[in-house]
Every structure is written in structure tokens, then in C-alpha cells.
Amino acid sequence: MRVLLAAPTSNHKDYCFDDWCKMVRNLSYPNLDILLVDNSADESYYNKILEAGILCFRVPPEGAPPQFIAKCQNCIRDYFLAGQYDFLFSLETDVFVPKNIIEYMIGFQLPMLNISYHVTQRDKDTMCIQGMTKTGKSNRLKLLGYNEAFDLYDGEIKQLNSMSIGEEFQVTGTGIGCSLIRSDILEQQGFRVDAKKGLAVFSDSYFHLDLQRAGITDMLDTTIVVEHRRQDWKNLKFN
């Protein structure tokens, strides 16, 4: 089975690019191609990626970050479908995984399998597991704190939207920084944002929502948390 490893990226992740390149070149899956889509403000990082021997396209950073990142993801989707790949391995360029991760994930033969990781939100360390929480009479999206998230980690492969913490928190999704997506899913579904609902919500959230509304199996592996070599994003400025 042919796998495309791909992700949007930018010069904001240059701090770990060399280590990430070494990691992906050491992956043990044999039938693997790599594609990055750069959304940096200029072409210097794009040229660095090409010089590293990795296929790269450019999408200008026009609009809000959720908008141009969704454009990058749809660029990846178009390339994936044109190349008739069997699986997309969506791996962010600051996420680090074991060398046999692709064989491991393919072995489950699921439409979509996700592995989560740590993120930082408002100076707090959380897991990149998102859900709806009740605030008075209304609901809002939030990320789970470590202690809450690890209560969900019991060594099972679980349907994302079947997971909850009491009546207060219903899991809806996770980032797709380490996700394996089968080709028939990408034939049916692209990546989107909803400007009418504000541009603070990224396409990852809508991708999970659309899968679940279509009744498609969307699973989280609670046996593993992969390394997210993140930096402090709060002071970054986007054009």
C-alpha cells in the first residue's frame, strides 16, 4: 500500500526541521512519499525544504491562519488523490513518532486513526483532545487538561465522539498532526473552515465533525502519546 506523508508547514517550525527530516527518513515503512506545503511569508523556507530533498509546494499566507492552513491541506488532498495513494499520513513537522508508526497504524485498517499529543493553550499544558463543555446553558469548545485527558487513556482504540467525562465534557476531535486517513475518506471529504462561526476554529475540528456526521469511523489510539516538540506560539505574528 502506498502512503503519502504530508503536512502544512512554515518557517515558524524551522527550529526542529533538521531533526524532523532525520526522523522521517528513518521511518521503516518502505512505500512512502513525502510532501510539505509551505505557507511562510517568503520563499526562503520553501527553498530550504527543496534543498533537503523533500517535495514542497507553496500556498501564500492569505487571510487568517485557519484559512490558509485549510488551503494547504486541500493542496495535499489534491496531490494525494491525483497520485492514487492508499493512505495519507498527516504528520506535523514538529511531531516526532516511532520508526514503525506507519506499519502500526495501517495494521488496524481503519478509515481514520488518530494519535494525540501535548499542546499549550493560554500558557497551560493540555492534550490536543477537543470537546464540548457546558458553561451554564451554553456549550463551548475547549481542550482537555492533562489529568482529564489521561483519565480517557486506558489502552483501547476508541471512537472519538463516544468518549466523555461525565456529563460535562463530550470529546469531538483531536489535532490531525499524527493521523492516518484512508483514501476513500479523502475522496469524499476535504478540509474547510467556517467564517460565519469565526476563524478561531481550525479545519481539523471540522474534519472530525464532518466524519462523525457522515457516520464514518474516527478513532483515537489511547495506548500512545507522541512527542510534540512545540515552541511558544503566543508571540508569533502572521501576515
Side-chain angles (χ1 to χ4, degrees), residues 212-235:
Q212 293 157 17
R213 284 177 172 172
I216 296 170
T217 302
D218 183 14
M219 307 295 281
L220 176 70
D221 187 337
T222 71
T223 69
I224 182 173
V225 175
V226 291
E227 177 189 359
H228 186 197
R229 199 172 296 178
R230 62 202 188 282
Q231 68 168 4
D232 186 354
W233 291 88
K234 66 182 178 180
N235 295 319

Side-chain angles (χ1 to χ4, degrees), residues 1 11 19 21 26 39 42 57 66 98-99 133 141 168-169 198 204 209 213 233:
M1 288 178 284
N11 62 306
D19 288 346
C21 287
N26 197 41
N39 54 65
D42 60 45
F57 301 147
K99 66 181 297 182
T133 184
L141 280 172
E168 292 77 32
F169 189 91
D204 306 36
L209 177 63
R213 284 177 172 172
W233 291 88

Side-chain angles (χ1 to χ4, degrees), residues 116-139:
S116 197
Y117 39 88
H118 306 146
V119 293
T120 302
Q121 185 184 53
R122 300 185 186 93
D123 297 322
K124 293 182 179 179
D125 287 333
T126 66
M127 286 292 292
C128 193
I129 296 177
Q130 188 180 60
M132 299 299 299
T133 184
K134 291 183 179 180
T135 304
K137 294 182 179 180
S138 63
N139 294 330

Side-chain angles (χ1 to χ4, degrees), residues 35-74:
L35 168 66
L36 296 178
V37 180
D38 176 46
N39 54 65
S40 303
D42 60 45
E43 294 190 2
S44 57
Y45 193 57
Y46 164 76
N47 290 327
K48 178 176 180 175
I49 294 169
L50 292 178
E51 289 169 4
I54 293 175
L55 178 64
C56 187
F57 301 147
R58 262 188 57 75
V59 169
E62 298 172 350
Q67 291 174 306
F68 59 73
I69 289 173
K71 288 180 182 178
C72 292
Q73 291 168 322
N74 282 316

